Amino acid sequence: MSKGRQTLLACALVPALLLPGCAGPNLQGRNDTPLSAANVSPGSQTPQAGDSQERQPDAKQPDAHPTETGARKPDEGGPHADQPHAGSTTTDQPGAESRQPGETGPASDRPGSAAADTQELAVYRGPVEHIFFHPLIAYPTLAYDGDAMDKGYRDWFVTVPEFERIVESLYRNQYILIDIRDLYEERVENGRRKLLKKELRLPKNKKPLIISIDDMNYYDYMRKNGNVHKLVLDGDGNVAAYSRTPEGNESIAYDNEIVPILDAFVRAHPDFSFRGAKGMIALTGYEGVLGYRTQDAASPHYESEKREALKVIARLKETGWSFASHGYGHRDAQRISYNSLVEDTLRWKREVEPLTGPTPVYVYPYGSRVETNSDKYAFLVRSGFAVLCGVGPAPYLKYTGEAVMMDRRHIDGIALEQQGERLAHMFDSRQVIDAERYRTAVKP
């Protein structure tokens, strides 16, 4: 395999970064091409009983994240499937789907947006971009310090300035945030649930965009390597980021993590959000959620951690954010056994779903999707997951009747440094890259 091909495969899913003691399993992408264990990313897997993956407990290397390559079976279509006439729109007036601010409807329970509901809408028939990030690097001096995790942070994360520049460019290029639930509708036919493509109508000349964030759990390694520590509510009920600075001081900030940054941007530019949509947060559960250690019911801090997490989650949902399952233990759904996938999913539903509420979206850890019509696929659909998200190099959206399959693009250091041409319609990576990622202080 060429080095370029390996890089493409490696850039798939992120969070698990360089965790000491985590072996890199021989993961496979969509074309069954083995990935190098050196291709690391942010999320980690926790060994569980019944896991068929081979592991090397003493190996000092991070988990690899296979990526979706876009290679598909003949019956699966390809990029832009079910999305003819890329970029085309049909002018229409706001109709039955238009809602007043705060009014709920079948597509979403998020708050409404007066800006969107009063504009002329057009039927959108082009590709739907879905991009994802990992928690931002808030403190580059901790991320790029020459230690064993330096390369992983360089490859799989972006800095605050990089994220801000990307958002600004997306806005200038006429993208508008939508909720993933705007893409489908549910019907019952002959007693069975069917998921159908929904006509997407947006403000004229706008292009749909979904932003998701993987692993916003703030694992212990993240707290030590430049990410913030957790999301909190300030005295006015706004979401902020709490952390300890490299100097050891406590900090509550609004300018160093995706949620408060995007919240502020939408307040300043309401036409960047369609009916109040923000982004989708894909959570594991093995180290709690959003920085709260809710995984240990025996902990003396469990009730207080759970209580605070619920407050933050409620506010996030009120302000246009939604949630997805990223598996409980960030385990490769393709490679683990059927029973292990069932165990992992049920644990997520038992421990995380009571916090986030039910979600129709399953984001494959490592981007490692299961085969359509397999037992694993049927189980995920039966479990209530209507949208199954992998990773790919271009927009992909397919409706099977039972579920919606969608690919996401990873936005990280590898994408910025090596895939600029592929992303140029959204932003110029040369203008985005932060010089901080090249200022590693090599340790003696």
Side-chain angles (χ1 to χ4, degrees):
M1 184 190 302
S2 69
K3 183 176 180 180
R5 182 64 167 166
Q6 280 188 321
T7 298
L8 171 61
L9 292 175
C11 30
L13 272 194
V14 199
L17 215 50
L18 314 162
L19 295 177
C22 285
N26 180 26
L27 306 177
Q28 294 182 336
R30 236 175 233 186
N31 64 349
D32 294 332
T33 304
L35 299 185
S36 166
N39 297 325
V40 303
S41 68
S44 66
Q45 292 179 311
T46 52
Q48 298 184 19
D51 192 342
S52 62
Q53 284 184 247
E54 294 183 2
R55 295 187 176 276
Q56 303 172 24
D58 297 328
K60 302 300 182 182
Q61 56 187 6
D63 285 338
H65 271 233
T67 84
E68 302 291 3
T69 66
R72 298 176 181 280
K73 300 294 184 182
D75 63 344
E76 292 182 341
H80 303 184
D82 296 323
Q83 300 178 42
H85 314 300
S88 65
T89 57
T90 301
T91 302
D92 196 4
Q93 296 293 330
E97 289 185 347
S98 295
R99 296 194 292 275
Q100 296 302 313
E103 183 179 356
T104 59
S108 173
D109 58 1
R110 67 183 182 273
S113 168
D117 285 334
T118 58
Q119 292 185 51
E120 182 181 15
L121 300 183
V123 177
Y124 180 83
R125 303 187 188 281
V128 180
E129 289 286 358
H130 186 167
I131 61 176
F132 80 94
F133 300 84
H134 292 98
L136 300 182
I137 295 174
Y139 303 105
T141 56
L142 295 180
Y144 305 133
D145 59 358
D147 67 6
M149 301 184 75
D150 185 291
K151 184 179 186 301
Y153 268 82
R154 189 183 311 278
D155 287 349
W156 302 112
F157 292 83
V158 300
T159 67
V160 169
E162 288 170 343
F163 179 76
E164 292 176 333
R165 293 165 190 164
I166 288 170
V167 170
E168 288 279 0
S169 181
L170 290 166
Y171 178 67
R172 288 196 305 270
N173 286 321
Q174 298 299 305
Y175 285 94
I176 187 171
L177 296 171
I178 68 167
D179 190 291
I180 201 167
R181 292 167 291 181
D182 290 327
L183 299 177
Y184 68 93
E185 58 183 331
E186 296 186 24
R187 293 182 186 174
V188 177
E189 297 182 4
N190 300 321
R192 298 187 63 181
R193 181 187 75 166
K194 293 207 68 173
L195 296 179
L196 304 173
K197 182 179 180 179
K198 183 176 182 178
E199 183 178 77
L200 182 59
R201 298 191 305 160
L202 299 174
K204 194 173 180 180
N205 298 321
K206 290 290 189 179
K207 296 173 287 189
L209 172 70
I210 298 169
I211 289 180
S212 53
I213 314 164
D214 285 6
D215 303 277
M216 193 165 262
N217 301 79
Y218 302 113
Y219 308 123
D220 287 344
Y221 83 86
M222 290 182 172
R223 293 175 168 180
K224 299 172 183 176
N225 286 276
N227 302 106
V228 304
H229 289 201
K230 61 182 175 181
L231 298 183
V232 297
L233 297 183
D234 66 13
D236 296 322
N238 298 312
V239 178
Y242 168 86
S243 57
R244 284 191 174 274
T245 68
E247 297 74 29
N249 301 318
E250 291 187 316
S251 168
I252 294 180
Y254 304 87
D255 60 356
N256 61 2
E257 184 54 291
I258 291 176
V259 169
I261 291 174
L262 203 54
D263 283 346
F265 192 87
V266 170
R267 281 196 300 271
H269 308 280
D271 55 329
F272 186 54
S273 171
F274 185 59
R275 294 176 176 158
K278 298 284 180 57
M280 182 174 70
I281 300 171
L283 295 173
T284 61
Y286 67 94
E287 285 192 30
V289 301
L290 304 178
Y292 298 91
R293 296 304 181 241
T294 55
Q295 77 276 16
D296 183 6
S299 168
H301 306 294
Y302 172 75
E303 290 299 333
S304 61
E305 292 283 287
K306 178 179 176 181
R307 183 168 58 251
E308 294 305 310
L310 284 168
K311 291 178 183 177
V312 175
I313 289 168
R315 183 57 178 165
L316 287 168
K317 294 169 76 172
E318 288 172 359
T319 52
W321 295 87
S322 63
F323 292 89
S325 171
H326 200 34
Y328 183 85
H330 205 282
R331 307 176 71 200
D332 185 336
Q334 182 188 95
R335 288 187 53 83
I336 61 177
S337 68
Y338 172 84
N339 288 338
S340 293
L341 177 63
V342 171
E343 175 187 347
D344 184 79
T345 303
L346 293 180
R347 189 167 184 184
W348 192 93
K349 284 184 162 290
R350 189 166 61 247
E351 294 187 22
V352 182
E353 187 176 278
L355 303 173
T356 63
T359 174
V361 185
Y362 186 89
V363 171
Y364 288 112
Y366 304 100
S368 185
R369 72 174 184 90
V370 302
E371 291 300 319
T372 307
N373 299 323
S374 66
D375 288 344
K376 292 177 180 179
Y377 168 87
F379 167 73
L380 291 172
V381 171
R382 287 198 311 272
S383 298
F385 296 115
V387 185
L388 304 174
C389 293
V391 175
Y396 176 81
L397 187 61
K398 181 178 177 62
Y399 299 79
T400 69
E402 298 174 310
V404 180
M405 297 190 296
M406 186 176 206
D407 276 358
R408 311 178 302 154
R409 298 178 192 249
H410 58 97
I411 306 299
D412 49 30
I414 288 179
L416 295 182
E417 293 178 345
Q418 302 178 24
Q419 300 169 9
E421 290 186 6
R422 190 178 300 152
L423 302 170
H425 61 291
M426 292 188 285
F427 55 84
D428 185 343
S429 62
R430 295 169 300 179
Q431 301 299 319
V432 165
I433 290 178
D434 183 359
E436 282 293 323
R437 66 171 52 249
Y438 304 114
R439 295 178 182 172
T440 295
V442 180
K443 289 186 175 182

